[in-house]
Amino acid sequence: MANLHDRLAAKIPIWRDELHDLVKNHGDKVISQVTVAQALGGMRGVKGMICDTSEVPPERGLLIRGIPLADLTGHTPEDIFYLLCTGDLPGDAAREDLRAELARRARVPRYVWQVLESLPPQSHPMCMLDTAVLAMQGESRFVQAYHEGVARNELWRSMLEDCLTLLARMPTIAAGIYRLRFRKGDPIEPDPALDYSSNFAHMLGLRDLHAEAADALRLYLVLHCDHEGGNVSAHTCSLVGSALSDAYYSVSAGLNGLSGPLHGLANQECLSWVLEVRDQFGGVPTEAQLRQFAWDTLNSGRVIPGYGHAVLRVTDPRFTALLEFGKAHFPQDEIVQLVARVFEVVPKVLEEQGKAKNPWPNVDAASGAVLHHYGMTEFSYYTVMFSVSRTMGMCAQLIWNRAMGMPIERPKSVTYAWLKQQVSGA
Ligand code: CMX
């Protein structure tokens, strides 16, 4: 990790100076106002936090450190983590350095498997993942550094240490959960010669089955890595980290947020909905049949999973990348054809209904189709895949927050009575 660490060590003083100057010279400038509807509406659009790793312009979709996602789809997770952390793509030496570092740390201690084996056999895979992450908290170097009295502006180094260990172990744990939970056999040891995504495919047991599967996983891991700071998982992780909680506590908290059906669990819900469509019509329905099915879902009070977004107002470029991958590699796959048909019909239905501000698909509308094609039909597992990738973004944000000495978060809440008084002008 010498390369990543040294790059950060060179950049952090410059970023700190910029932040210091901003507060000193412009600290009293207004960047956002809050209406009553926003305070009662999940704080949509309120600008009150900083995330430098990525941004989501509503009309463009994800930019990682200013680079559109569509320009990054050929890269590796190692590249993306380096980019998230430093703002630069790595050269060959830095990429290999990070690959080797992650591979070196990928083995998971026995006690983690014992914890997982002792959970009820029907535990949700996300509950297993969160538990495994939390169980490793006792290994935190950050906690050790804090108790040794390491200066606050040096704590990013031990945060980086913890994040590298956690990131390295995530595919091992996630693949182990897949094999334990769905009775695929014993966990498979990581191979130190492989890169991050090939190793994940190897440990899942997919690599030998489908040569292409490692590439699909690589793409999947790249696409889900980060989505600015205000989404439930990123915000939760960052908030918990602001109390100087370590990466294990913080990422585990973020993953608990990712487990909700309106957030990361939507990919599981989405494939389930697509399979319902297939079962109802015995294959790909006509537009008219699907239109009626979508209306039935809405009229029963349910959302159409995989569609809509709190920030995006266009088709999610992550959806486009996954659907294109499916069409290029397995165009005859029925699920891919179904996803494409849903994309033709559902936005029109949501527009007619007129409630969703964004009728377009998000990443979850296509991700399950790719996993399903490679034999991962256990869709309660899909959010675990999402989590492995999203840990990159959460970790990069934690490192940045500690590097910049961000304070404990504490927005002001108001009571309902205060709100009523405020609007009545009393
Ligand atoms: N199907 C049906 N109704 C939808 C809808 C959808 N896909 N998307 C939004 N709506 C409804 C909302 O439920 C809301 O209805 P009410 O006024 O009755 O509460 C109304 O449209 C307005 O919502 P919005 O402002 O457009 O969307 P929000 O910012 O409140 O919520 C999201 C965003 C993603 C939770 C919502 O679009 C949704 O539930 N989508 C389906 C679940 C999903 O795909 N989640 C994954 C998002 C990606 C991620 O975070 O991982």
Side-chain angles (χ1 to χ4, degrees):
M1 73 146 169
N3 218 306
L4 174 59
H5 174 274
D6 294 352
R7 189 84 188 128
L8 279 167
K11 288 201 148 187
I12 285 169
I14 301 166
W15 294 339
R16 280 187 188 150
D17 284 350
E18 281 173 5
L19 186 138
H20 180 79
D21 286 353
L22 264 174
V23 177
K24 190 169 154 221
N25 299 323
H26 305 284
D28 57 352
K29 303 242 162 82
V30 175
I31 57 167
S32 201
Q33 288 179 328
V34 186
T35 64
V36 171
Q38 285 171 311
L40 290 170
M43 296 188 282
R44 281 311 173 282
V46 177
K47 298 182 187 75
M49 60 192 302
I50 305 294
C51 166
D52 226 27
T53 55
S54 69
E55 60 188 302
V56 183
E59 310 300 336
R60 292 178 73 191
L62 178 61
L63 309 178
I64 300 175
R65 292 281 192 175
I67 306 177
L69 187 70
D71 296 344
L72 292 167
T73 52
H75 283 272
T76 64
E78 287 90 337
D79 289 346
I80 298 296
F81 184 62
Y82 194 97
L83 174 64
L84 285 164
C85 288
T86 66
D88 303 317
L89 281 163
D92 291 344
R95 177 186 306 110
E96 171 52 23
D97 189 54
L98 182 55
R99 185 208 66 77
E101 188 63 40
L102 292 172
R104 187 176 71 75
R105 296 172 188 240
R107 282 194 62 145
V108 170
R110 179 74 205 126
Y111 73 85
V112 177
W113 300 120
Q114 286 167 338
V115 168
L116 288 178
E117 282 157 9
S118 66
L119 289 174
Q122 295 313 316
S123 298
H124 193 281
M126 279 305 286
C127 168
M128 297 173 78
L129 184 68
D130 284 347
T131 305
V133 170
L134 203 53
M136 298 188 293
Q137 188 276 335
E139 296 187 50
S140 171
R141 302 285 289 273
F142 178 88
V143 170
Q144 194 187 335
Y146 180 81
H147 287 302
E148 284 169 359
V150 169
R152 268 201 180 200
N153 64 1
E154 293 296 321
L155 282 174
W156 69 267
R157 296 178 203 273
S158 50
M159 182 59 86
L160 173 62
E161 260 295 315
D162 281 356
C163 286
L164 285 170
T165 301
L166 180 55
L167 210 56
R169 290 182 185 175
M170 282 302 270
T172 317
I173 295 170
I177 288 172
Y178 183 62
R179 296 182 65 77
L180 290 172
R181 175 65 178 74
F182 301 106
R183 297 199 174 85
K184 304 282 178 185
D186 290 336
I188 299 172
E189 288 286 320
D191 178 346
L194 294 178
D195 64 33
Y196 199 73
S197 42
S198 305
N199 221 345
F200 192 15
H202 155 70
M203 292 184 285
L204 283 165
L206 296 181
R207 194 170 59 134
D208 297 334
L209 293 178
H210 301 280
E212 233 171 52
D215 198 42
L217 280 188
R218 179 199 58 72
L219 179 66
Y220 189 100
L221 293 179
V222 166
L223 296 181
H224 289 78
C225 66
D226 202 35
H227 218 227
E228 70 176 39
N231 65 74
V232 169
S233 50
H235 187 191
T236 305
C237 176
S238 181
L239 171 68
V240 173
S242 82
L244 293 190
S245 303
D246 60 64
Y248 299 94
Y249 280 134
S250 306
V251 170
S252 168
L255 294 178
N256 288 329
L258 200 68
S259 306
L262 295 188
H263 190 19
L265 210 76
N267 50 13
Q268 133 174 9
E269 303 286 306
C270 190
L271 191 65
S272 165
W273 191 81
V274 167
L275 293 181
E276 261 182 64
V277 171
R278 183 193 62 182
D279 294 346
Q280 166 106 358
F281 300 104
V284 182
T286 63
E287 281 204 25
Q289 286 171 324
L290 185 56
R291 207 180 117 72
Q292 188 55 51
F293 192 90
W295 270 112
D296 290 346
T297 300
L298 294 176
N299 291 336
S300 69
R302 293 192 289 159
V303 297
I304 299 184
Y307 282 75
H309 200 272
V311 174
L312 277 172
R313 294 296 175 259
V314 287
T315 294
D316 189 337
R318 301 171 299 174
F319 169 86
T320 307
L322 285 164
L323 186 58
E324 292 305 318
F325 186 94
K327 283 180 172 173
H329 291 90
F330 36 90
Q332 301 311 324
D333 185 297
E334 192 176 54
I335 305 295
V336 168
Q337 290 177 1
L338 269 161
V339 167
R341 176 56 50 88
V342 172
F343 181 35
E344 285 160 10
V345 172
V346 163
K348 290 181 210 150
V349 171
L350 285 174
E351 268 174 345
E352 276 172 46
Q353 192 205 29
K355 276 173 75 178
K357 293 190 189 67
N358 174 40
W360 303 108
N362 59 62
V363 65
D364 298 323
S367 56
V370 173
L371 301 178
H372 192 271
H373 176 79
Y374 291 111
M376 285 188 134
T377 51
E378 302 84 0
F379 39 81
S380 66
Y381 183 71
Y382 292 175
T383 313
V384 173
M385 306 278 305
F386 190 159
S387 303
V388 174
S389 174
R390 191 48 68 88
T391 299
M392 287 195 278
M394 289 194 282
C395 283
Q397 292 187 27
L398 284 173
I399 294 163
W400 191 89
N401 289 349
R402 290 288 59 76
M404 304 303 275
M406 297 307 276
I408 187 166
E409 266 189 48
R410 181 49 169 101
K412 180 79 185 102
S413 64
V414 294
T415 62
Y416 191 43
W418 182 92
L419 203 56
K420 286 195 288 187
Q421 199 178 26
Q422 190 75 6
V423 295
S424 70

